[in-house]
Amino acid sequence: MTVESRAKLLGHAIHPMLIVFPLCLLSKIAVFDILYLALSLAALVVGLFIGWLGGELVEWLGFGVDSGAHLDAPISFSPKRMVDDTAETRQNQREAA
């Protein structure tokens, strides 16, 4: 004895077609969770690397902050020091005075 389905689409029972969707979506949850974790970890590694690289470039290129700098001081990306304490500068200052 076969039970004929009342809900049909183009002559085929709908229930066997709809049962597959939750099962497929359940398997996709695991795939996308793993993908999310992998991409989050990759983003964290890239962020840490860029932060480290920025600090290293500041150190290697010799950028610094003037000892008299304050919050309203202009930004300078010049590798020269803001306060030049070399003997030549002191000599030039004495000659100018």
Side-chain angles (χ1 to χ4, degrees):
M1 172 178 190
T2 18
V3 178
E4 189 72 23
S5 177
R6 287 184 262 168
K8 293 183 178 183
L9 179 66
L10 300 173
H12 299 284
I14 295 176
H15 183 262
M17 291 187 276
L18 294 179
I19 281 296
V20 177
F21 288 114
L23 296 174
C24 290
L25 294 176
L26 182 63
S27 65
K28 298 300 179 225
I29 289 172
V31 170
F32 283 109
D33 281 348
I34 292 169
L35 185 64
Y36 172 76
L37 290 174
L39 291 177
S40 296
L41 181 62
L44 177 67
V45 169
V46 168
L48 288 173
F49 176 73
I50 289 174
W52 169 80
L53 184 61
E56 287 297 317
L57 287 175
V58 166
E59 185 69 28
W60 289 342
L61 297 176
F63 296 138
V65 178
D66 184 29
S67 59
H70 50 83
L71 290 176
D72 296 327
I75 293 175
S76 173
F77 288 113
S78 170
K80 293 189 229 175
R81 291 182 47 161
M82 296 294 281
V83 176
D84 196 0
D85 292 332
T86 61
E88 181 181 336
T89 304
R90 288 192 298 262
Q91 180 66 27
N92 292 341
Q93 288 173 347
R94 277 189 236 135
E95 290 173 2

